[in-house]
Each structure stands twice: as C-alpha cells, then as structure tokens.
Coordinates of all heavy atoms in Angstrom, one line a residue:
M1 N 0.8 -1.2 0.0 CA 0.0 0.0 0.0 C 0.8 1.3 0.0 O 1.6 1.5 0.9 CB -0.9 0.0 1.3 CG -1.8 1.1 1.4 SD -2.9 0.9 2.8 CE -3.4 2.6 3.0
S2 N 0.8 2.0 -1.1 CA 1.6 3.2 -1.2 C 0.7 4.5 -1.1 O -0.4 4.5 -1.7 CB 2.4 3.2 -2.5 OG 1.5 3.3 -3.5
E3 N 1.2 5.5 -0.4 CA 0.4 6.7 -0.2 C 0.5 7.6 -1.5 O -0.4 8.4 -1.7 CB 0.8 7.4 1.0 CG 0.3 6.7 2.3 CD 0.7 7.6 3.5 OE1 0.5 8.8 3.4 OE2 1.2 7.0 4.5
H4 N 1.6 7.5 -2.2 CA 1.8 8.3 -3.3 C 1.9 7.5 -4.6 O 2.9 7.0 -4.9 CB 3.0 9.2 -3.2 CG 2.9 10.1 -2.0 ND1 2.1 11.2 -1.9 CD2 3.5 10.0 -0.8 CE1 2.2 11.8 -0.8 NE2 3.0 11.0 0.0
D5 N 0.8 7.3 -5.2 CA 0.7 6.6 -6.4 C 1.1 7.4 -7.6 O 0.4 8.4 -7.9 CB -0.7 6.0 -6.6 CG -0.8 5.0 -7.7 OD1 0.1 4.9 -8.5 OD2 -1.8 4.3 -7.8
P6 N 2.1 7.1 -8.3 CA 2.5 7.9 -9.5 C 1.5 7.9 -10.6 O 1.4 8.9 -11.4 CB 3.8 7.3 -10.0 CG 3.9 5.9 -9.4 CD 3.0 6.0 -8.1
D7 N 0.7 6.9 -10.6 CA -0.3 6.9 -11.7 C -1.6 7.7 -11.4 O -2.5 7.8 -12.1 CB -0.8 5.4 -11.9 CG 0.3 4.6 -12.5 OD1 1.1 5.2 -13.3 OD2 0.3 3.4 -12.3
D8 N -1.5 8.4 -10.2 CA -2.7 9.1 -9.8 C -2.8 10.5 -10.4 O -3.7 11.3 -10.1 CB -2.6 9.3 -8.3 CG -4.0 9.4 -7.7 OD1 -4.9 8.9 -8.3 OD2 -4.2 9.9 -6.6
A9 N -1.8 10.8 -11.3 CA -1.8 12.2 -11.8 C -2.5 12.3 -13.2 O -2.2 13.2 -14.0 CB -0.3 12.6 -12.0
G10 N -3.4 11.4 -13.5 CA -4.1 11.5 -14.7 C -5.1 12.6 -14.8 O -5.2 13.4 -13.9
P11 N -5.8 12.8 -15.9 CA -6.7 13.9 -16.1 C -7.9 13.7 -15.1 O -8.2 12.6 -14.7 CB -7.2 13.7 -17.5 CG -6.9 12.3 -17.9 CD -5.7 11.9 -17.1
P12 N -8.5 14.8 -14.7 CA -9.6 14.7 -13.7 C -10.8 14.0 -14.4 O -11.0 14.0 -15.6 CB -9.9 16.1 -13.4 CG -9.4 16.9 -14.5 CD -8.2 16.2 -15.1
H13 N -11.6 13.4 -13.5 CA -12.8 12.8 -14.0 C -13.8 13.8 -14.5 O -14.1 14.8 -13.8 CB -13.4 12.0 -12.8 CG -13.6 10.5 -13.2 ND1 -12.5 9.7 -13.4 CD2 -14.7 9.7 -13.2 CE1 -13.0 8.5 -13.7 NE2 -14.3 8.5 -13.6
R14 N -14.3 13.6 -15.7 CA -15.3 14.5 -16.2 C -16.6 13.8 -16.3 O -16.7 12.6 -16.6 CB -14.8 15.0 -17.6 CG -13.6 15.9 -17.6 CD -13.2 16.3 -19.0 NE -12.0 17.0 -18.9 CZ -11.9 18.3 -18.6 NH1 -13.0 19.0 -18.4 NH2 -10.7 19.0 -18.6
P15 N -17.6 14.6 -16.2 CA -19.0 14.0 -16.4 C -19.1 13.6 -17.8 O -18.7 14.2 -18.7 CB -19.9 15.2 -16.1 CG -19.1 16.3 -15.7 CD -17.7 16.0 -15.8
Q16 N -19.7 12.4 -18.0 CA -19.9 11.8 -19.3 C -21.0 12.6 -20.1 O -21.7 13.4 -19.6 CB -20.3 10.4 -19.2 CG -19.2 9.6 -18.5 CD -17.9 9.5 -19.3 OE1 -17.9 9.3 -20.5 NE2 -16.8 9.8 -18.7
N17 N -21.0 12.3 -21.4 CA -22.0 13.0 -22.2 C -23.4 12.5 -22.0 O -23.6 11.6 -21.3 CB -21.6 13.0 -23.7 CG -21.6 11.5 -24.2 OD1 -22.3 10.7 -23.7 ND2 -20.7 11.2 -25.2
R18 N -24.3 13.2 -22.7 CA -25.7 12.8 -22.4 C -26.1 11.4 -22.8 O -26.9 10.8 -22.1 CB -26.6 13.8 -23.2 CG -28.0 14.0 -22.6 CD -28.8 14.9 -23.5 NE -28.3 16.3 -23.5 CZ -28.7 17.2 -24.4 NH1 -29.5 16.8 -25.4 NH2 -28.2 18.4 -24.4
Q19 N -25.4 11.0 -23.8 CA -25.7 9.6 -24.3 C -25.4 8.6 -23.2 O -26.1 7.6 -23.0 CB -25.0 9.3 -25.6 CG -25.6 8.1 -26.3 CD -24.8 7.9 -27.6 OE1 -24.0 8.7 -28.0 NE2 -25.2 6.8 -28.3
T20 N -24.2 8.8 -22.5 CA -23.8 7.9 -21.5 C -24.7 7.9 -20.3 O -25.0 6.9 -19.8 CB -22.4 8.2 -21.1 OG1 -21.5 8.2 -22.2 CG2 -21.9 7.2 -20.1
S21 N -25.2 9.1 -20.0 CA -26.1 9.1 -18.8 C -27.4 8.5 -19.1 O -28.1 7.8 -18.3 CB -26.3 10.5 -18.3 OG -26.8 11.4 -19.3
A22 N -27.9 8.6 -20.4 CA -29.1 7.9 -20.7 C -28.9 6.4 -20.7 O -29.8 5.7 -20.2 CB -29.5 8.3 -22.2
S23 N -27.7 6.0 -21.1 CA -27.4 4.5 -21.0 C -27.4 4.1 -19.5 O -27.8 3.0 -19.2 CB -26.1 4.3 -21.7 OG -25.3 3.4 -21.0
K24 N -26.9 4.9 -18.7 CA -26.9 4.6 -17.2 C -28.3 4.5 -16.7 O -28.6 3.6 -15.9 CB -26.2 5.8 -16.5 CG -25.2 5.3 -15.5 CD -24.6 6.5 -14.8 CE -23.1 6.3 -14.6 NZ -22.4 7.5 -14.1
L25 N -29.2 5.4 -17.1 CA -30.6 5.3 -16.7 C -31.2 3.9 -17.2 O -31.9 3.3 -16.5 CB -31.4 6.4 -17.4 CG -31.2 7.8 -16.8 CD1 -32.1 8.8 -17.5 CD2 -31.4 7.9 -15.3
R26 N -30.9 3.6 -18.4 CA -31.4 2.3 -18.9 C -31.0 1.1 -18.1 O -31.8 0.2 -18.0 CB -31.0 2.1 -20.4 CG -31.7 3.0 -21.3 CD -31.5 2.6 -22.8 NE -32.6 3.2 -23.6 CZ -32.4 4.4 -24.1 NH1 -31.3 5.1 -24.0 NH2 -33.4 5.0 -24.7
R27 N -29.8 1.2 -17.6 CA -29.3 0.0 -16.9 C -29.5 0.1 -15.4 O -29.3 -0.8 -14.6 CB -27.8 -0.2 -17.2 CG -27.7 -0.6 -18.6 CD -26.2 -0.7 -19.0 NE -25.6 0.6 -18.9 CZ -24.3 0.9 -18.8 NH1 -23.5 -0.1 -18.8 NH2 -23.8 2.1 -18.7
G28 N -29.9 1.3 -14.9 CA -30.0 1.5 -13.5 C -31.2 0.8 -12.8 O -31.1 0.6 -11.6
G29 N -32.2 0.4 -13.6 CA -33.3 -0.3 -12.9 C -34.4 0.6 -12.4 O -35.4 0.1 -11.9
R30 N -34.2 1.9 -12.4 CA -35.2 2.8 -11.9 C -36.0 3.5 -13.0 O -37.0 4.2 -12.7 CB -34.6 3.9 -11.1 CG -33.9 3.3 -9.8 CD -33.3 4.4 -9.0 NE -32.7 3.9 -7.8 CZ -32.2 4.6 -6.8 NH1 -32.2 5.9 -6.9 NH2 -31.7 4.1 -5.8
H31 N -35.6 3.3 -14.2 CA -36.3 3.9 -15.3 C -36.6 2.9 -16.4 O -35.9 1.9 -16.5 CB -35.4 5.0 -15.9 CG -35.1 6.1 -15.0 ND1 -34.2 6.1 -14.0 CD2 -35.7 7.4 -14.9 CE1 -34.2 7.2 -13.3 NE2 -35.1 8.0 -13.9
C32 N -37.6 3.2 -17.1 CA -38.0 2.3 -18.2 C -36.8 2.4 -19.3 O -36.4 3.4 -19.7 CB -39.3 2.8 -18.9 SG -39.6 2.0 -20.4
P33 N -36.3 1.2 -19.6 CA -35.1 1.3 -20.6 C -35.6 1.7 -22.0 O -34.8 2.0 -22.8 CB -34.6 -0.2 -20.6 CG -35.8 -1.0 -20.1 CD -36.6 -0.1 -19.2
V34 N -36.9 1.6 -22.2 CA -37.4 1.9 -23.6 C -37.6 3.4 -23.7 O -37.1 4.1 -24.7 CB -38.6 1.1 -23.9 CG1 -39.2 1.5 -25.3 CG2 -38.3 -0.4 -23.9
C35 N -38.3 4.0 -22.8 CA -38.7 5.4 -22.9 C -38.0 6.3 -21.9 O -38.2 7.6 -21.9 CB -40.2 5.6 -22.9 SG -40.9 5.4 -21.2
L36 N -37.3 5.7 -20.9 CA -36.6 6.4 -19.9 C -37.5 7.2 -18.9 O -37.0 8.0 -18.1 CB -35.6 7.4 -20.5 CG -34.4 6.8 -21.2 CD1 -33.5 7.9 -21.8 CD2 -33.7 5.8 -20.4
E37 N -38.7 6.9 -18.8 CA -39.6 7.4 -17.8 C -39.3 6.7 -16.5 O -39.0 5.5 -16.5 CB -41.1 7.2 -18.1 CG -41.6 8.1 -19.2 CD -41.7 9.6 -18.7 OE1 -42.2 9.8 -17.6 OE2 -41.2 10.4 -19.4
P38 N -39.3 7.4 -15.4 CA -39.1 6.7 -14.1 C -40.2 5.7 -13.8 O -41.3 5.9 -14.1 CB -39.2 7.9 -13.1 CG -39.1 9.1 -13.8 CD -39.6 8.8 -15.2
L39 N -39.8 4.5 -13.3 CA -40.7 3.5 -13.0 C -41.2 3.6 -11.6 O -40.5 3.9 -10.7 CB -40.1 2.1 -13.2 CG -39.6 1.7 -14.5 CD1 -38.8 0.4 -14.5 CD2 -40.8 1.5 -15.5
P40 N -42.6 3.5 -11.4 CA -43.1 3.6 -10.1 C -42.8 2.3 -9.3 O -42.4 1.3 -9.9 CB -44.6 3.7 -10.3 CG -44.8 3.0 -11.7 CD -43.6 3.3 -12.5
K41 N -42.9 2.4 -8.0 CA -42.6 1.2 -7.2 C -43.9 0.3 -7.1 O -45.0 0.9 -7.3 CB -42.1 1.5 -5.8 CG -40.7 2.1 -5.9 CD -40.2 2.3 -4.5 CE -38.8 2.7 -4.5 NZ -38.2 3.0 -3.1
N42 N -43.7 -0.9 -6.9 CA -44.9 -1.8 -6.8 C -45.5 -1.7 -5.4 O -45.1 -0.9 -4.6 CB -44.5 -3.2 -7.1 CG -43.7 -3.9 -6.0 OD1 -43.4 -3.2 -5.0 ND2 -43.2 -5.1 -6.3
A43 N -46.6 -2.4 -5.2 CA -47.4 -2.2 -4.0 C -46.5 -2.6 -2.8 O -46.7 -1.9 -1.7 CB -48.6 -3.2 -4.0
G44 N -45.7 -3.5 -2.9 CA -44.8 -3.9 -1.7 C -43.7 -2.9 -1.4 O -43.1 -2.9 -0.4
R45 N -43.5 -2.1 -2.4 CA -42.4 -1.0 -2.3 C -41.1 -1.6 -2.1 O -40.2 -1.0 -1.6 CB -42.7 0.0 -1.2 CG -43.9 0.8 -1.6 CD -44.1 2.0 -0.6 NE -44.4 1.5 0.7 CZ -44.7 2.3 1.7 NH1 -44.5 3.6 1.6 NH2 -45.0 1.9 2.9
T46 N -40.9 -2.9 -2.5 CA -39.6 -3.4 -2.4 C -38.9 -3.4 -3.8 O -37.6 -3.3 -3.8 CB -39.7 -4.9 -2.0 OG1 -40.7 -5.6 -2.8 CG2 -40.1 -5.1 -0.6
R47 N -39.6 -3.4 -4.8 CA -39.0 -3.4 -6.1 C -39.8 -2.4 -7.0 O -40.9 -2.1 -6.7 CB -39.0 -4.8 -6.8 CG -38.4 -5.8 -5.9 CD -38.4 -7.1 -6.7 NE -37.6 -7.0 -7.9 CZ -37.3 -8.1 -8.7 NH1 -37.6 -9.3 -8.3 NH2 -36.6 -7.9 -9.8
R48 N -39.2 -2.1 -8.1 CA -39.9 -1.3 -9.1 C -40.8 -2.2 -9.9 O -40.5 -3.4 -9.9 CB -38.9 -0.7 -10.1 CG -37.8 0.2 -9.5 CD -38.4 1.6 -9.2 NE -37.5 2.3 -8.2 CZ -37.6 3.5 -7.9 NH1 -38.6 4.3 -8.5 NH2 -36.9 4.1 -7.0
V49 N -41.9 -1.7 -10.4 CA -42.8 -2.5 -11.1 C -42.1 -3.0 -12.4 O -41.2 -2.4 -12.9 CB -44.0 -1.7 -11.6 CG1 -44.9 -1.3 -10.3 CG2 -43.7 -0.5 -12.4
R50 N -42.5 -4.1 -12.9 CA -41.9 -4.7 -14.1 C -42.8 -4.4 -15.3 O -43.2 -5.2 -16.1 CB -41.7 -6.2 -13.9 CG -40.6 -6.4 -12.9 CD -40.4 -7.9 -12.5 NE -40.0 -8.7 -13.7 CZ -38.7 -8.7 -14.1 NH1 -37.8 -8.0 -13.5 NH2 -38.4 -9.5 -15.1
Y51 N -43.2 -3.1 -15.3 CA -44.1 -2.7 -16.4 C -44.0 -1.2 -16.4 O -44.0 -0.6 -15.4 CB -45.5 -3.2 -16.1 CG -46.5 -2.5 -17.0 CD1 -46.7 -3.0 -18.3 CD2 -47.3 -1.5 -16.5 CE1 -47.6 -2.3 -19.1 CE2 -48.3 -0.9 -17.3 CZ -48.4 -1.3 -18.6 OH -49.4 -0.7 -19.4
C52 N -43.9 -0.6 -17.6 CA -43.8 0.8 -17.7 C -45.2 1.4 -18.1 O -45.7 1.1 -19.2 CB -42.8 1.2 -18.8 SG -42.8 3.0 -19.1
P53 N -45.8 2.1 -17.2 CA -47.1 2.7 -17.5 C -47.1 3.7 -18.6 O -48.1 4.0 -19.3 CB -47.6 3.3 -16.2 CG -46.5 3.2 -15.2 CD -45.3 2.5 -15.9
A54 N -45.9 4.3 -18.8 CA -45.8 5.4 -19.8 C -45.8 4.9 -21.2 O -46.5 5.4 -22.1 CB -44.5 6.2 -19.6
C55 N -45.1 3.8 -21.5 CA -45.0 3.4 -22.9 C -45.5 1.9 -23.0 O -45.6 1.4 -24.1 CB -43.6 3.5 -23.5 SG -42.4 2.3 -22.8
G56 N -45.8 1.3 -21.9 CA -46.3 -0.1 -22.0 C -45.2 -1.1 -22.1 O -45.5 -2.3 -22.4
A57 N -44.0 -0.8 -22.0 CA -42.9 -1.7 -22.1 C -42.9 -2.7 -20.9 O -43.3 -2.3 -19.8 CB -41.6 -1.0 -22.2
H58 N -42.4 -3.9 -21.1 CA -42.3 -4.9 -20.1 C -41.2 -5.8 -20.4 O -40.7 -5.9 -21.6 CB -43.6 -5.6 -19.9 CG -44.0 -6.3 -21.2 ND1 -43.6 -7.6 -21.6 CD2 -44.7 -5.8 -22.3 CE1 -44.1 -7.9 -22.7 NE2 -44.8 -6.8 -23.2
P59 N -40.6 -6.5 -19.4 CA -39.5 -7.5 -19.7 C -40.0 -8.6 -20.6 O -41.2 -9.1 -20.4 CB -39.1 -8.0 -18.3 CG -39.8 -7.1 -17.3 CD -41.0 -6.5 -18.0
S60 N -39.3 -9.0 -21.5 CA -39.6 -10.1 -22.4 C -39.0 -11.4 -22.0 O -37.7 -11.5 -22.0 CB -39.2 -9.8 -23.8 OG -39.8 -8.7 -24.3
Q61 N -39.8 -12.3 -21.5 CA -39.2 -13.6 -21.1 C -38.7 -14.3 -22.3 O -39.4 -14.4 -23.3 CB -40.3 -14.4 -20.4 CG -40.9 -13.7 -19.1 CD -40.0 -14.0 -17.9 OE1 -39.5 -15.1 -17.8 NE2 -39.9 -13.0 -17.0
G62 N -37.5 -14.9 -22.1 CA -37.0 -15.7 -23.2 C -36.4 -15.0 -24.4 O -36.0 -15.7 -25.4
K63 N -36.4 -13.7 -24.4 CA -35.9 -13.0 -25.5 C -34.5 -12.4 -25.2 O -34.3 -12.0 -24.1 CB -36.8 -11.9 -26.0 CG -38.1 -12.5 -26.6 CD -39.0 -11.4 -27.2 CE -40.3 -12.1 -27.7 NZ -41.2 -11.1 -28.2
H64 N -33.6 -12.5 -26.1 CA -32.2 -12.1 -25.8 C -31.8 -10.9 -26.6 O -32.2 -10.7 -27.7 CB -31.3 -13.3 -26.1 CG -31.6 -14.4 -25.2 ND1 -30.8 -14.7 -24.1 CD2 -32.5 -15.4 -25.2 CE1 -31.3 -15.8 -23.5 NE2 -32.3 -16.2 -24.1
C65 N -30.9 -10.1 -26.0 CA -30.4 -8.9 -26.6 C -29.5 -9.3 -27.8 O -28.7 -10.2 -27.7 CB -29.6 -8.1 -25.6 SG -28.6 -6.8 -26.3
L66 N -29.6 -8.6 -28.9 CA -28.9 -8.9 -30.1 C -27.4 -8.6 -29.9 O -26.5 -9.2 -30.5 CB -29.4 -8.0 -31.2 CG -29.1 -8.4 -32.7 CD1 -29.5 -9.9 -32.9 CD2 -29.8 -7.5 -33.6
R67 N -27.1 -7.6 -29.0 CA -25.7 -7.2 -28.9 C -25.0 -8.0 -27.8 O -23.9 -8.5 -28.0 CB -25.6 -5.7 -28.6 CG -24.2 -5.3 -28.5 CD -24.1 -3.8 -28.7 NE -24.6 -3.0 -27.5 CZ -24.6 -1.7 -27.5 NH1 -24.2 -1.0 -28.5 NH2 -25.1 -1.1 -26.4
C68 N -25.6 -8.1 -26.6 CA -24.9 -8.7 -25.5 C -25.4 -10.1 -25.1 O -24.8 -10.8 -24.3 CB -24.9 -7.8 -24.2 SG -26.5 -7.8 -23.4
G69 N -26.6 -10.5 -25.7 CA -27.0 -11.8 -25.4 C -27.8 -12.0 -24.1 O -28.2 -13.1 -23.8
A70 N -27.9 -10.9 -23.3 CA -28.5 -11.1 -22.0 C -30.0 -11.2 -22.2 O -30.6 -10.6 -23.1 CB -28.2 -9.9 -21.2
E71 N -30.6 -12.0 -21.3 CA -32.1 -12.1 -21.3 C -32.6 -10.9 -20.5 O -33.1 -11.1 -19.3 CB -32.5 -13.4 -20.8 CG -34.0 -13.7 -21.1 CD -34.4 -15.0 -20.5 OE1 -33.6 -16.0 -20.5 OE2 -35.6 -15.1 -20.1
A72 N -32.4 -9.7 -21.0 CA -32.8 -8.5 -20.2 C -33.4 -7.5 -21.1 O -33.3 -6.3 -20.9 CB -31.5 -7.9 -19.6
V73 N -34.2 -8.1 -22.0 CA -34.9 -7.2 -23.0 C -36.3 -6.8 -22.5 O -37.0 -7.6 -22.1 CB -35.0 -7.9 -24.3 CG1 -35.8 -7.1 -25.3 CG2 -33.6 -8.3 -24.9
W74 N -36.5 -5.5 -22.6 CA -37.8 -4.9 -22.4 C -38.4 -4.6 -23.8 O -37.6 -4.1 -24.6 CB -37.8 -3.7 -21.5 CG -37.7 -4.0 -20.1 CD1 -36.8 -4.8 -19.5 CD2 -38.5 -3.3 -19.0 NE1 -37.0 -4.8 -18.1 CE2 -38.1 -3.9 -17.8 CE3 -39.5 -2.4 -19.1 CZ2 -38.6 -3.5 -16.6 CZ3 -40.1 -2.0 -17.9 CH2 -39.7 -2.6 -16.6
E75 N -39.6 -4.8 -23.9 CA -40.2 -4.4 -25.2 C -41.6 -3.7 -25.0 O -42.3 -4.0 -24.1 CB -40.4 -5.6 -26.2 CG -41.3 -6.6 -25.7 CD -41.5 -7.7 -26.8 OE1 -41.8 -7.4 -27.9 OE2 -41.4 -8.9 -26.4
S76 N -41.8 -2.7 -25.8 CA -43.1 -2.0 -25.9 C -43.7 -2.4 -27.2 O -43.2 -3.3 -27.9 CB -43.0 -0.5 -25.7 OG -42.3 0.0 -26.9
R77 N -44.7 -1.8 -27.6 CA -45.4 -2.2 -28.8 C -44.5 -2.0 -30.0 O -44.4 -2.9 -30.9 CB -46.7 -1.4 -29.0 CG -47.7 -2.0 -29.9 CD -48.9 -1.2 -30.1 NE -49.7 -1.2 -28.8 CZ -50.9 -0.7 -28.7 NH1 -51.4 -0.1 -29.8 NH2 -51.6 -0.7 -27.6
Q78 N -43.7 -1.0 -30.0 CA -42.9 -0.7 -31.2 C -41.4 -0.8 -31.0 O -40.7 -1.1 -31.9 CB -43.1 0.8 -31.7 CG -44.6 1.1 -32.0 CD -45.0 0.4 -33.3 OE1 -44.2 0.0 -34.1 NE2 -46.3 0.3 -33.6
R79 N -41.0 -0.6 -29.7 CA -39.6 -0.5 -29.5 C -39.1 -1.5 -28.4 O -39.9 -2.1 -27.7 CB -39.2 0.9 -29.0 CG -39.7 2.0 -30.0 CD -39.4 3.4 -29.6 NE -38.0 3.6 -29.5 CZ -37.2 3.8 -30.6 NH1 -37.7 3.8 -31.8 NH2 -35.9 4.0 -30.4
A80 N -37.8 -1.6 -28.3 CA -37.3 -2.6 -27.4 C -35.9 -2.0 -26.8 O -35.3 -1.1 -27.5 CB -37.0 -3.9 -28.0
A81 N -35.5 -2.4 -25.7 CA -34.3 -2.0 -25.1 C -33.7 -3.1 -24.2 O -34.5 -3.9 -23.6 CB -34.5 -0.7 -24.3
C82 N -32.4 -3.1 -24.1 CA -31.7 -4.1 -23.2 C -31.3 -3.4 -21.9 O -30.7 -2.4 -21.9 CB -30.5 -4.6 -24.0 SG -29.4 -5.7 -22.9
R83 N -31.7 -4.1 -20.8 CA -31.3 -3.6 -19.5 C -29.8 -3.8 -19.2 O -29.3 -3.3 -18.3 CB -32.2 -4.2 -18.4 CG -33.6 -3.8 -18.4 CD -33.7 -2.4 -17.7 NE -33.6 -2.5 -16.3 CZ -34.6 -2.7 -15.5 NH1 -35.8 -2.9 -15.9 NH2 -34.4 -2.7 -14.2
S84 N -29.2 -4.7 -19.9 CA -27.9 -5.1 -19.6 C -26.8 -4.2 -20.3 O -25.9 -3.7 -19.6 CB -27.7 -6.5 -20.0 OG -26.4 -7.0 -19.7
C85 N -27.0 -3.9 -21.6 CA -26.0 -3.1 -22.3 C -26.5 -1.8 -22.8 O -25.8 -1.0 -23.4 CB -25.4 -3.9 -23.4 SG -26.5 -4.2 -24.8
A86 N -27.8 -1.6 -22.6 CA -28.5 -0.3 -22.9 C -28.7 -0.2 -24.4 O -29.0 0.9 -24.9 CB -27.7 0.9 -22.4
L87 N -28.6 -1.2 -25.2 CA -29.0 -1.2 -26.6 C -30.5 -0.9 -26.7 O -31.2 -1.4 -25.9 CB -28.6 -2.6 -27.2 CG -29.0 -2.7 -28.7 CD1 -28.2 -1.8 -29.6 CD2 -28.9 -4.2 -29.1
H88 N -30.8 0.0 -27.6 CA -32.2 0.2 -27.7 C -32.5 0.6 -29.2 O -31.7 1.0 -29.9 CB -32.7 1.4 -26.8 CG -32.0 2.7 -27.1 ND1 -30.7 2.9 -26.7 CD2 -32.4 3.8 -27.7 CE1 -30.4 4.1 -27.1 NE2 -31.4 4.7 -27.7
G89 N -33.8 0.5 -29.5 CA -34.2 0.8 -30.9 C -35.5 0.0 -31.2 O -36.2 -0.4 -30.3
S90 N -35.7 -0.2 -32.5 CA -36.8 -1.0 -32.9 C -36.6 -2.5 -32.4 O -35.4 -2.9 -32.2 CB -37.0 -1.0 -34.4 OG -36.0 -1.7 -35.0
K91 N -37.6 -3.2 -32.4 CA -37.5 -4.6 -31.9 C -36.5 -5.4 -32.7 O -35.7 -6.2 -32.2 CB -38.8 -5.3 -31.9 CG -39.8 -4.8 -30.9 CD -41.0 -5.6 -30.8 CE -42.0 -5.0 -29.9 NZ -43.2 -5.9 -29.6
R92 N -36.5 -5.1 -34.0 CA -35.6 -5.9 -34.9 C -34.1 -5.6 -34.5 O -33.3 -6.4 -34.8 CB -35.9 -5.4 -36.3 CG -36.2 -6.6 -37.2 CD -36.2 -6.2 -38.6 NE -35.9 -4.8 -38.9 CZ -36.4 -4.1 -39.9 NH1 -37.1 -4.7 -40.8 NH2 -36.1 -2.8 -40.1
E93 N -33.9 -4.4 -34.0 CA -32.5 -4.0 -33.8 C -32.0 -4.5 -32.4 O -30.9 -4.4 -32.1 CB -32.4 -2.4 -33.8 CG -32.6 -1.9 -35.2 CD -32.8 -0.4 -35.2 OE1 -33.4 0.1 -34.3 OE2 -32.3 0.2 -36.2
V94 N -32.9 -4.9 -31.6 CA -32.6 -5.2 -30.2 C -32.8 -6.7 -29.8 O -31.9 -7.2 -29.1 CB -33.4 -4.3 -29.2 CG1 -33.1 -4.7 -27.8 CG2 -33.1 -2.8 -29.4
I95 N -33.8 -7.2 -30.3 CA -34.2 -8.6 -29.9 C -33.5 -9.6 -30.9 O -33.7 -9.5 -32.1 CB -35.7 -8.8 -29.9 CG1 -36.3 -7.9 -28.9 CG2 -36.0 -10.3 -29.5 CD1 -37.8 -7.8 -28.9
A96 N -32.7 -10.5 -30.4 CA -32.1 -11.5 -31.2 C -33.2 -12.4 -31.8 O -34.1 -12.8 -31.1 CB -31.1 -12.3 -30.4
P97 N -33.0 -12.8 -33.1 CA -34.0 -13.7 -33.7 C -33.9 -15.1 -33.0 O -32.9 -15.5 -32.5 CB -33.6 -13.8 -35.1 CG -32.3 -13.0 -35.3 CD -32.0 -12.3 -34.0
P98 N -35.1 -15.8 -33.0 CA -35.1 -17.1 -32.3 C -34.0 -18.0 -33.0 O -33.8 -18.0 -34.2 CB -36.5 -17.6 -32.6 CG -37.3 -16.4 -33.0 CD -36.3 -15.4 -33.6
G99 N -33.3 -18.8 -32.2 CA -32.4 -19.7 -32.7 C -30.9 -19.1 -32.6 O -30.0 -19.9 -32.9
T100 N -30.8 -17.9 -32.3 CA -29.5 -17.3 -32.2 C -28.8 -17.8 -30.9 O -29.5 -17.7 -29.8 CB -29.5 -15.7 -32.1 OG1 -30.3 -15.3 -33.3 CG2 -28.2 -15.1 -32.1
P101 N -27.7 -18.3 -30.9 CA -27.0 -18.8 -29.7 C -26.8 -17.7 -28.7 O -26.5 -16.6 -29.1 CB -25.7 -19.4 -30.2 CG -25.5 -18.9 -31.5 CD -26.8 -18.5 -32.1
Ligands
ZN201 ZN1 -41.5 3.2 -20.9
ZN202 ZN1 -27.7 -6.1 -24.3

C-alpha cells in the first residue's frame, strides 16, 4: 500500500456526455429502458414495477439482446431496449431472432 501513487496524476474525472447518462438510466433499474420514464414502485415497495405505464414496455421472457445476449430485454409495442448493455431501438434492432445462440 503506497500513499503516493505515481499513476494518480491522470486527467480529472469529467462528467460523461448525455448519451452515456441515458445509458446509465437504462441500466439503473429505476427507469424504463425503452422510454426512460421513471418506473413507479410496486405495492410492496420493495422493487420497481416490471411494467412501464408510460409506454407499455415490459420485460420479455426468453428473448435475448442482439448485442450482449442477455435475457434482459424490455419491449413495448414498437420498441425494445436491453437492460444489460443499454442497446435500444426497434425490436428488430434489439431482440435476437429465435435460434441465435
Ligand atoms: Zn417506458
Ligand atoms: Zn444487451
């Protein structure tokens, strides 16, 4: 354990751009990954609801993200988003077709 780390002289941490913070919201679990509206809590107040009242998005069981492969896809009527890597767009762009490993 050293008190003076020579590698500590890097550039200061800067706030990331807007796109990155939106991606953070998508993965944070407090916002709808599809439309970024804050999710209300459920009746037990232990977890957020698994449904977005704003856009109708909900987690898709058994569907996988086209980019990261996680089963963490939310989909609304028109759009979809991945809670794992924050990929979002039309369903075709986010949901891996059936049979994809
Ligand atoms: Zn939504
Ligand atoms: Zn993903």
Side-chain angles (χ1 to χ4, degrees):
M1 182 175 161
S2 65
E3 285 185 42
H4 299 286
D5 189 345
D7 290 333
D8 208 24
H13 237 61
R14 289 178 186 281
Q16 298 295 313
N17 63 28
R18 204 183 294 165
Q19 199 179 353
T20 304
S21 59
S23 136
K24 226 179 221 175
L25 288 183
R26 285 197 162 86
R27 291 173 297 163
R30 294 182 180 185
H31 295 77
C32 170
V34 177
C35 72
L36 293 182
E37 284 294 311
L39 293 174
K41 289 187 174 178
N42 69 5
R45 288 191 294 181
T46 49
R47 305 183 60 169
R48 303 276 161 175
V49 296
R50 290 174 66 78
Y51 168 76
C52 173
C55 73
H58 57 89
S60 296
Q61 300 275 324
K63 293 184 182 175
H64 296 261
C65 170
L66 198 54
R67 183 160 73 182
C68 74
E71 193 181 329
V73 174
W74 279 49
E75 64 175 310
S76 66
R77 201 178 290 187
Q78 302 289 343
R79 303 178 66 74
C82 171
R83 287 283 285 272
S84 182
C85 71
L87 176 67
H88 62 284
S90 71
K91 292 187 183 189
R92 238 193 356 208
E93 294 169 324
V94 175
I95 301 172
T100 306

